[in-house]
Amino acid sequence: MSRETEADLPGDVLPGVLSETLHAELVAFRRDLHMHPELGNQEFRTTAAIKERLERAGLRPRVLATGTGLVCDIGLAEGERSAVPLLALRADIDALPIPDTKSDCPYRSIVPDRAHACGHDVHTSVVLGAGLVLADLHAKGLLPRPVRLLFQPAEEVLPGGALVAIGDGVLDGVGRILAVHCDPRVDAGRVGLRHGAITSACDLLQVALAGPGGHTARPHLTTDLVTAVARVATDVPAVVARRVDTRGGLAVTWGRIESGHAPNVIPQHAELSGTVRCLDLDAWRDAPDILHAAVDEVATLHRAKSEITYVRGVPPVVNDRESTELLRRSMVARRGLDSVESTEQSLGGEDFSWYLEHVSGAMARLGVRRPGERTVRDLHQGDFDADEYAIKVGVELFTAAALLDDDVS
């Protein structure tokens, strides 16, 4: 049953409203993906399911060169080049390597240690639904500009499948790109918007320390590697915090420390690894040099040799003002002023940021919390789930954006 009443909707209803029949189909599609999650660059079943549904609607999707993920243009004949920049709608399609811990859920993952615990199945269903609705509008002569659907693999695999997709030409001819990301802190029926950085940069840092080792009775004759790794763990974040403007939000958080095998033996090797997160784009660009210097200084102070592996992840997603305003106008047109709320910058990373290095665009936070639900089913947790009404909201947000976007220069 629809949640809206006539009084809930704005007076001038745009075309592109999702029918109850198609919404039910998209919910079933999402549940099928949820039961069959696939990791990054392994999304063959997912890609095939999306491709089949688009082809059934008379569209011509193209699978990316890597074999997973696909793009599909609406409003262009095969081989035709658009006279105006395309609007791209992006979804990520991969899952996470964690078990689905939901109980009494008929669409719980049937794949061991795999789960759609970040909402990518919802994102995929939203862009698929938007594409089907927009294809129908185009057939009726109501689509003002061509739209590209982008179903991207491997968002969870640093530095992100977006880079591979860009290399495959998915941004050719695109003038603006939009995306949504599930937010379990926001009620379904609402979106969170922010101009500027809405996510953070996220990199990986691995440090290996080495020393000659020895007996715990004589630490003064060797390198006390356990103490050295402990000091790196505590001192490096403190050193970094004093070498970067605090407004840049550069933070190091360790997730693993490993060293030693016996209580009376000073080991020869120690390792620690963690993430480097950053709110500011300029600080992120300087982060590798800053971290290398900080680790070397602390390790040298304790007579340990250090080897640093710094893996670039993703820069922050920085929403441009015009694209953010387009999302706001689109949501207000669909559901009124109260459907939009401001959101804060997250410390999470998202490879959607790579697209914004090339074209303008914005990401919205799509509310997926069931209204009245007190327990927040957080992202990247095995019990994560979404209120599937959010699929309808996301589809209608995107179809409104395609109709209201007047940037056709």
Side-chain angles (χ1 to χ4, degrees), residues 34 96 98-99 101-102 115-119 181-186 346 348 365 368-369 373-386:
H34 201 85
L96 287 162
I98 63 175
T101 60
K102 293 188 295 295
H116 268 295
C118 199
H181 197 294
C182 289
D183 191 336
R185 302 165 302 169
V186 177
S346 163
R365 295 220 167 96
V368 296
R369 181 175 62 194
E373 186 174 42
R374 294 186 177 182
T375 301
V376 176
R377 300 174 183 270
D378 204 3
L379 300 172
H380 288 217
Q381 299 295 317
D383 67 345
F384 174 78
D385 203 357

Side-chain angles (χ1 to χ4, degrees), residues 151-166:
F151 300 91
Q152 178 213 302
E155 188 275 333
E156 300 286 355
V157 181
L158 289 179
L163 288 174
V164 176
I166 292 168

Side-chain angles (χ1 to χ4, degrees), residues 74 95 107 123 134 154 165 191 211 219-220 245 254 270 276 281 315 323 332 342 365 367:
I74 301 170
Y107 50 87
H123 307 164
L134 292 173
V191 298
H220 59 290
D245 189 326
W254 305 107
V276 180
L281 189 59
S323 298
V332 169
S342 296
R365 295 220 167 96

